[in-house]
């Protein structure tokens, strides 16, 4: 726990947090720098990566009420000094976030749509997803990794979808849905997000 | 755990129960009875879920006294809200993603101030539930529809078979079958091949 009443705890591979409201442990296959803190092991509830390192994170990163979710062969990478608040980061292959990135509340970052678009494949996917069904029969998915540069600010409730690269110093206005790459230093706004100043 | 024919769910963190007027098919999964914390349906069958469907991640059934919800087979309701005062029907093989809200009971933009005032005042006579008098216009979601995350599906809407609603869309008018619709206001960006036409779908189903 750190000072000023903010209950944050070091992310330690394989460890649990004393008095954590969620009865979990941090995954063993994570590589986390010094000073990286979170509020609960709930952060890793949907972390399913079986890679040697499924979560690689620099130091002094804050993961507050954030979901670090991965499929079995996926990795999430974060630089140092980034602040991620109440966001969902869901990787099927790879999501890379730079240093000094601010990800605001309600943000979702995904590298995959997690279901096929084709109606017949989608119908088969619902069968493979039924309670107790064989998940290995799930349909192949289109996966395109996401890369977010350094010093990017991503506003509340924004969405970053598969295949997007956001350049250094860019700003994603709150509520935007980002489908296309964002160049360095540009502000994007809207659904779909386009360069602009915001309302 | 499977909630079939049980009133409570083992390992449930919420001290609730499955409503008596809910009928759940074989192999239905509901992660917590918190889903029913705001379930007030007084209909004979306030909720029907077919076989092999699941409600995950605190999916919530917010249902008024006259409301009823019907969900088909092999449908995934993953952290979505169903706010129902009249009728919400969801077909089979649908995928409803997190944060989406499907409602049949938001006041029409043609409603008058007097009507809305009466509705909000009625909340204090009715267990503080908002909009108890708003009638509602049924929502129908046909088979094999995919609703992305954080969408709004507004009253009176029908989503046609096989259509896809992109994340964070706001849908306030009908979507034709096999359309891919995105944005707010909604717009159709393409049509999919109907590769799951009913006869072909029967071949895929177990």
């Amino acid at each position: 726990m750190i000072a000023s009443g903010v209950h944050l705890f070091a992310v330690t591979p394989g460890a649990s947090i004393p008095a954590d409201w969620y009865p979990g442990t941090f995954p063993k296959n994570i590589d986390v720098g010094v000073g990286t803190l979170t509020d609960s092991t709930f952060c890793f509830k949907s972390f399913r990566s079986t890679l040697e390192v499924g979560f690689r994170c620099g130091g002094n990163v804050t993961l507050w009420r954030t979901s670090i979710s991965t499929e079995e062969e996926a990795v999430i990478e974060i630089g140092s000094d980034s602040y991620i608040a109440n966001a969902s980061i869901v990787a099927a292959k790879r999501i890379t976030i730079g240093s000094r990135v601010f990800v605001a509340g309600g943000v979702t970052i995904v590298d995959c749509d997690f279901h096929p678009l084709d109606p017949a494949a989608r119908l088969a996917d619902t069968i493979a997803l039924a309670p107790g069904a064989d998940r290995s029969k799930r349909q192949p998915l289109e996966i395109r990794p996401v890369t977010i540069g350094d010093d990017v600010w991503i506003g509340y409730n924004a969405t970053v979808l598969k295949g997007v690269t956001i350049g250094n110093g860019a700003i994603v206005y709150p509520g935007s849905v980002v489908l296309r790459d964002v160049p360095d230093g540009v502000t994007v706004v809207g659904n779909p997000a386009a360069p602009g100043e915001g309302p | 755990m499977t909630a079939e024919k049980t009133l409570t769910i083992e390992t449930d963190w919420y001290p609730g129960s499955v409503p008596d007027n809910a009928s759940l098919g074989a192999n239905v999964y509901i992660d917590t009875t918190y889903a029913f914390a705001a379930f007030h349906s007084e209909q004979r069958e306030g909720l029907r879920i077919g076989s092999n469907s699941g409600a995950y991640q605190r999916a919530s059934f917010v249902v008024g006294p006259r409301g009823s919800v019907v969900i088909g087979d092999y449908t995934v309701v993953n952290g979505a809200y169903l706010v129902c005062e009249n009728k919400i029907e969801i077909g089979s093989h649908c995928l409803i993603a997190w944060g989406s809200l499907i409602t049949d009971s938001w006041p029409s933009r043609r409603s008058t101030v007097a009507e809305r005032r009466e509705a909000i005042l009625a909340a204090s006579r009715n267990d503080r539930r908002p909009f108890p008098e708003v009638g509602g216009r049924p929502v129908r979601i046909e088979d094999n529809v995919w609703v992305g995350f954080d969408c709004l599906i507004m009253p009176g809407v029908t989503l046609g078979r096989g259509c896809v609603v992109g994340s964070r869309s706001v849908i306030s008018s009908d979507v034709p079958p096999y359309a891919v619709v995105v944005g707010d206001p909604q717009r159709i960006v393409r049509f999919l091949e109907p590769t799951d036409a009913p006869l072909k779908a029967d071949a895929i189903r177990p």
Side-chain angles (χ1 to χ4, degrees):
Chain A
M1 192 190 302
I2 60 168
S4 70
V6 179
H7 293 242
L8 290 172
F9 307 88
V11 178
T12 313
S16 57
I17 297 173
D20 190 355
W21 67 269
Y22 182 72
T25 53
F26 291 113
K28 291 199 177 77
N29 56 334
I30 58 176
D31 179 1
V32 180
V34 173
T36 287
L37 306 174
T38 185
D39 59 327
S40 170
T41 58
F42 191 68
C43 204
F44 291 91
K45 177 174 179 278
S46 304
F47 183 87
R48 299 191 192 91
S49 179
T50 55
L51 299 181
E52 197 174 333
V53 177
F55 178 61
R56 187 175 286 111
C57 182
N60 291 324
V61 170
T62 308
L63 302 170
W64 188 77
R65 291 194 189 172
T66 285
S67 175
I68 301 291
S69 306
T70 63
E71 296 292 324
E72 288 183 0
E73 294 184 4
V75 60
I76 293 174
E77 299 168 322
I78 302 177
S80 49
D81 300 292
S82 291
Y83 194 103
I84 300 175
N86 204 356
S88 297
I89 302 170
V90 190
K93 189 70 188 175
R94 181 181 60 78
I95 293 175
T96 301
I97 297 175
S99 295
R100 301 171 302 282
V101 173
F102 179 62
V103 181
V107 167
T108 302
I109 303 172
V110 290
D111 65 352
C112 178
D113 294 336
F114 295 99
H115 302 290
L117 196 59
D118 174 70
R122 187 144 40 86
L123 193 148
D125 201 41
T126 65
I127 295 166
L129 283 169
D134 184 359
R135 299 279 168 120
S136 70
K137 294 205 173 125
R138 287 200 62 185
Q139 301 294 303
L141 299 169
E142 183 190 355
I143 300 168
R144 286 189 280 144
V146 169
T147 305
I148 296 170
D150 296 335
D151 304 294
V152 172
W153 281 50
I154 302 179
Y156 303 97
N157 280 10
T159 303
V160 179
L161 293 174
K162 63 181 187 299
V164 165
T165 296
I166 299 182
N168 297 332
I171 296 173
V172 175
Y173 197 84
S176 304
V177 177
V178 185
L179 302 134
R180 297 185 193 89
D181 291 356
V182 180
D184 289 359
V186 167
T187 297
V188 292
V189 59
N191 175 6
E197 293 295 308
Chain B
M1 84 141 251
T2 302
E4 189 196 359
K5 303 292 178 210
T6 54
L7 287 176
T8 57
I9 299 175
E10 270 175 54
T11 72
D12 190 358
W13 59 272
Y14 186 75
S17 60
V18 178
D20 291 339
N21 59 346
S23 97
L24 308 180
N27 199 30
V28 163
Y29 178 95
I30 291 172
D31 60 351
T32 168
T33 57
Y34 190 65
F36 306 113
F39 186 92
H40 302 283
S41 175
E42 292 167 3
Q43 302 302 304
R44 194 178 57 79
E45 195 170 60
L47 170 67
R48 183 168 84 232
I49 303 183
S51 62
N52 296 295
S53 291
Y56 308 89
Q57 305 277 6
R58 293 196 199 174
S60 287
F61 298 94
V62 180
V63 183
R66 284 169 291 177
S68 62
V69 174
V70 178
I71 296 176
D73 306 334
Y74 291 101
T75 282
V76 179
V77 180
N78 185 12
Y81 274 75
L82 308 186
V83 181
C84 174
E85 299 288 349
N86 184 314
K87 181 132 192 157
I88 294 178
E89 283 179 278
I90 300 178
S92 297
H93 301 286
C94 291
L95 297 159
I96 315 291
W98 63 89
S100 284
L101 189 144
I102 300 167
T103 181
D104 64 359
S105 49
W106 186 253
S108 149
R109 72 187 65 149
R110 288 177 293 278
S111 67
T112 63
V113 170
E115 283 166 357
R116 293 199 298 274
R117 185 177 293 163
E118 172 55 27
I120 201 84
L121 292 175
S124 55
R125 301 192 294 270
N126 191 24
D127 295 339
R128 299 302 163 106
R129 299 199 60 253
F131 314 125
E133 312 295 335
V134 174
R137 286 174 292 151
V139 171
R140 197 157 68 89
I141 299 181
E142 295 178 355
D143 291 351
N144 205 18
V145 168
W146 178 13
V147 177
F149 61 84
D150 289 354
C151 289
L152 271 177
I153 310 296
M154 297 300 281
V157 164
T158 296
L159 303 182
R161 182 189 177 98
C163 77
V164 176
V165 179
S167 296
R168 301 211 154 139
S169 301
V170 177
I171 305 299
S172 43
S173 58
D174 292 356
V175 176
Y178 300 105
V180 178
V181 64
V182 299
D184 174 20
Q186 71 198 65
R187 62 185 202 286
I188 294 171
V189 290
R190 61 184 278 201
F191 280 92
L192 301 170
E193 288 296 316
T195 51
D196 72 329
L199 279 175
K200 292 179 188 167
D202 285 345
I204 300 170
R205 289 183 64 150

